[in-house]
Amino acid sequence: MDDYPLLNLFLTMLYLFLWVMWFFLLFKVITDLFRDHSLNGWAKAGWLVLVILLPYVGVLIYLIVRGRSMHERDEKLAKDSEAAFRDYVRRAAGTEGGSDHVKDLAKLAELKDKGAINAEEYEQAKAKLLA
């Protein structure tokens, strides 16, 4: 460790950090390329070749040319994911659609308790609701 000064250690850590960040950015650009449905196959192939053959320049050009639309696609994906999650939670909690079945079953049980329908009619209606 005596022949490797502290400044060189910091520089090595900085280079490693920048290298990892560049790979993160490269993968982000590549996933954005494949996620974009407005580009045709040849355009995607051209961008991919540019990013792979001229890595630093290609990624920089991609960010300059398509950075705004990249952000818009990320934002749309986040909104769609959140909407899907909220929809799933509503369906799982039974506050949408499922609550109608619960209310209908409660009405059936009330009708059965009052004697308006017999046990056989209750079971048939319950099976129909749950199907």
Side-chain angles (χ1 to χ4, degrees):
M1 204 62 188
D2 292 331
D3 58 341
Y4 201 69
L6 188 60
L7 182 60
N8 285 350
L9 179 67
F10 286 135
L11 285 176
T12 302
M13 289 178 9
L14 178 68
Y15 293 150
L16 181 66
F17 174 75
L18 291 175
W19 187 67
V20 169
M21 289 303 296
W22 180 82
F23 268 112
F24 173 77
L25 190 58
L26 177 69
F27 292 139
K28 182 79 173 158
V29 165
I30 291 173
T31 56
D32 184 65
L33 267 174
F34 287 109
R35 189 181 335 148
D36 187 11
H37 298 294
S38 65
L39 287 177
N40 62 17
W42 288 106
K44 288 180 184 183
W47 277 112
L48 194 61
V49 166
L50 179 69
V51 166
I52 290 174
L53 291 182
L54 299 171
Y56 296 106
V57 176
V59 168
L60 183 64
I61 291 172
Y62 185 85
L63 289 176
I64 290 170
V65 173
R66 300 184 48 85
R68 179 175 302 236
S69 62
M70 186 177 179
H71 170 70
E72 291 167 358
R73 280 186 294 281
D74 282 343
E75 194 173 286
K76 182 182 180 309
L77 180 68
K79 286 180 181 178
D80 291 346
S81 295
E82 183 178 351
F85 175 73
R86 288 180 187 266
D87 184 49
Y88 170 74
V89 168
R90 278 191 207 102
R91 283 186 283 121
T95 59
E96 180 184 291
S99 64
D100 294 337
H101 293 307
V102 172
K103 289 176 184 175
D104 292 341
L105 284 173
K107 287 178 186 176
L108 280 174
E110 186 179 329
L111 289 173
K112 180 184 166 199
D113 292 341
K114 289 181 180 178
I117 58 173
N118 61 21
E120 182 180 322
E121 291 171 333
Y122 171 77
E123 290 299 326
Q124 288 175 352
K126 184 171 101 172
K128 187 176 181 181
L129 275 176
L130 296 176

